[in-house]
Amino acid sequence: MFKRILLAVDGSEHALLAADVACDLAARYEARLIILSVAKPVGKMSVAARDYIQAEHLAGAPSYLLTDLARAALADVDGRARAKGLTNVKTVVREGNPARRIVEYAKEHDIDLIALGSRGLGDLEGLLLGSVSHKVATLAHCTVITAK
Ligand SMILES: Nc1ncnc2c1ncn2[C@@H]1O[C@H](COP(=O)(O)OP(=O)(O)O)[C@@H](O)[C@H]1O
Ligand SMILES: [Mg+2]
């Protein structure tokens, strides 16, 4: 059913829920798991993302891109996937608009399932669904799971 699963992570708790689902499905379907984090321009960074950078001691405030944040989120989730026994795992960093990059990556790499959290590191607590989850669900050509 699923051969290549794309898990999108941003360092949020919600993305970890998606990681559980993605890892479970990757194991069941013996699928390749690609974990992607998109580094946004710093100007578009939320307060929560800034707090996360501080909490994780990602020193030397990256000048214009959140690549350090993305790499830290990837290392964390990659470790969790491997601790669950998965070996067919790869991590990828892209830069730019998260939703667009996620959808683009999925298309270019023949992904058949995208997993992401329903919310991320955004500041708008009142939202039911974050904008990245919403856009990816709308624009993706394949099945999308938003974990809660
Ligand atoms: N920069 C990013 N790179 C990769 N995945 C992301 C990124 N931003 C968000 N996501 C994914 O989308 C999910 C929902 O986040 P988002 O739509 O940004 O909600 P919010 O508005 O609450 O931040 C996250 O749990 C994560 O799986
Ligand atoms: Mg967000």
Side-chain angles (χ1 to χ4, degrees), residues 10 40 120-122 132:
D10 60 350
K40 290 192 294 188
L121 290 171
V132 174

Side-chain angles (χ1 to χ4, degrees), residues 117-140:
S118 57
R119 292 294 321 271
L121 290 171
D123 300 324
L124 301 168
E125 298 291 334
L127 286 187
L128 294 177
L129 199 64
S131 66
V132 174
S133 354
H134 187 258
K135 278 184 207 151
V136 170
T138 307
L139 299 173

Side-chain angles (χ1 to χ4, degrees), residues 79-98:
R80 287 168 191 261
R82 290 180 192 280
K84 288 177 196 259
L86 297 177
T87 51
N88 195 357
V89 182
K90 174 172 128 166
T91 60
V92 178
V93 178
R94 286 286 187 273
E95 294 171 2
N97 177 281

Side-chain angles (χ1 to χ4, degrees), residues 8-10 12 15 36-38 98 102 116-117 119-122 130-133:
V9 301
D10 60 350
S12 68
L36 169 67
S37 192
V38 181
I102 292 166
L116 69 184
R119 292 294 321 271
L121 290 171
S131 66
V132 174
S133 354

Side-chain angles (χ1 to χ4, degrees), residues 52-81:
Y52 179 84
I53 285 184
Q54 273 183 344
E56 297 291 318
H57 305 294
L58 299 172
S63 52
Y64 64 105
L65 285 167
L66 287 174
T67 47
D68 284 2
L69 174 63
R71 288 205 185 90
L74 285 176
D76 176 34
V77 176
D78 180 72
R80 287 168 191 261

